[in-house]
Amino acid sequence: MQTTRTTTDTDTPESAAYTPTDRTVPTRSRDRASYDRETVHAVLDEAYVCHLGFVRDGAPVVLPTLFARVGERLYVHGSTGSRPLRMAGDAQDGAADPGIQVCLTVTHVDGLVLARSAFHHSINYRSVVVHGTAHQVTDPEEKRAALDALVDHVVPGRAADSRPANAKELAATAVLRLDLNEVSAKARTGGPHDEPEDMGLPHWAGVLPLRRGYDAPLPSADLAQDIAAPDYLPGL
Amino acid sequence: MQTTRTTTDTDTPESAAYTPTDRTVPTRSRDRASYDRETVHAVLDEAYVCHLGFVRDGAPVVLPTLFARVGERLYVHGSTGSRPLRMAGDAQDGAADPGIQVCLTVTHVDGLVLARSAFHHSINYRSVVVHGTAHQVTDPEEKRAALDALVDHVVPGRAADSRPANAKELAATAVLRLDLNEVSAKARTGGPHDEPEDMGLPHWAGVLPLRRGYDAPLPSADLAQDIAAPDYLPGL
């Protein structure tokens, strides 16, 4: 199904789905995979952190990090001294930014699936895996917008209710951009799939649903007493 | 501080901490890093999934997967046809298992840290990063114990209350072992660290704590009505 739609940051008509590639078609459980943009966006937007993988000296490295989505672009940020950000910017002195090959993965655990048999125990989850080459953001306007998006990704509406980054802070922060091209979502839902011969066993079977909970906000000890927790905090 | 203690699966006296290496000493925020075994074990044991990174055709791949810890060993499992498990076992026909270089990472998001300035927004988290070479488990007893551990990792006590894997199921499942040697934990706790000149700004500052919540267990539609949800389910 190829319909056209417009993303928030470009005028390019795009299909409703990402094009599968060798890397995004799973070797098993293919029925759990999806390339639908809205599905992918929803899984990404609900996550506070991603796991960013890159290769260093031939070995894999996986680090948790904040990220944000703006249309079909993902942004991660870090100190200009951090390893992946340094690696992405290795070609200085006028050479083109070589970028860094990454795999960015996001996972939500939605439930524990208990089957009568040990073998059929499982997890209900939603995940997104993004493959691609991340590049340093050098355009000042894009960088500033990405940093706002990183704050708003954690608490929507917060960027406008905080002191914006100044020149020194902008200079100390590196931002990487990863375009959403080679992307897939995967999900498991529903109850256990026991073998017919196990149905009479005396073990409980079903799903224990998990959800994200928020406790009451904890104001900083040095916060003025007349500043109330803002309405836009989740869980309030 | 080098004290000795005994792990559950060996009689080798071990120090209370992992030895830092180039890969496990962070380039920044070194005060957030820890090599304490108990700290590392606690972070690992609380997580339902890890993010497993490996290199395929020179590019990083990061996949979410169940795992379990038994003493100083981690286990992940999957279909014998899955990519990382096939890659770990590529040397067949009597050659030694070459293993597969992996990075296994676990992260808990404990709170959203809101500062007066956009720049000082952060996340409270605990994470563990394990580097090493994973190997296929070929010993049948170790494999069976690892599969029990994988079930008990999700719901402690559940392995004994389910039908054990049969020969066919064992044959269909591959298990990888990763020893805990090159390991570090990292954590951020506490409130925001605003700049002195920002303290008078009118923005709320503090932490929004997150926690894992459980909803009521959902029995399978085909479950006999006289089988109650077991007491060992978390959240009950």
Side-chain angles (χ1 to χ4, degrees), chain B residues 202-215:
Chain B
H203 311 301
W204 188 85
V207 174
L208 183 65
L210 269 73
R211 61 183 163 73
R212 179 184 288 162
Y214 298 93
D215 286 333

Side-chain angles (χ1 to χ4, degrees), chain B residues 87-92 94-100 133-138 176:
Chain B
M87 289 171 67
D90 266 353
Q92 300 295 338
D97 166 16
I100 176 174
T133 300
H135 293 273
Q136 285 231 29
V137 174
T138 51
L176 289 184

Side-chain angles (χ1 to χ4, degrees), chain A residues 110-114 124 188-192 204-210, chain B residues 215-220 233:
Chain A
D110 295 326
L112 315 181
V113 182
L114 281 73
N124 282 342
R188 187 201 188 282
T189 58
W204 188 85
V207 174
L208 183 65
L210 270 73
Chain B
D215 286 333
L218 301 170
S220 286
L233 286 187

Side-chain angles (χ1 to χ4, degrees), chain A residues 158 163 198 204 211 215, chain B residues 158 163 198 204 211 215:
Chain A
R158 178 64 183 181
R163 194 261 295 158
D198 290 336
W204 188 85
R211 61 185 163 73
D215 286 333
Chain B
R158 178 65 182 181
R163 194 261 295 157
D198 290 336
W204 188 85
R211 61 183 163 73
D215 286 333

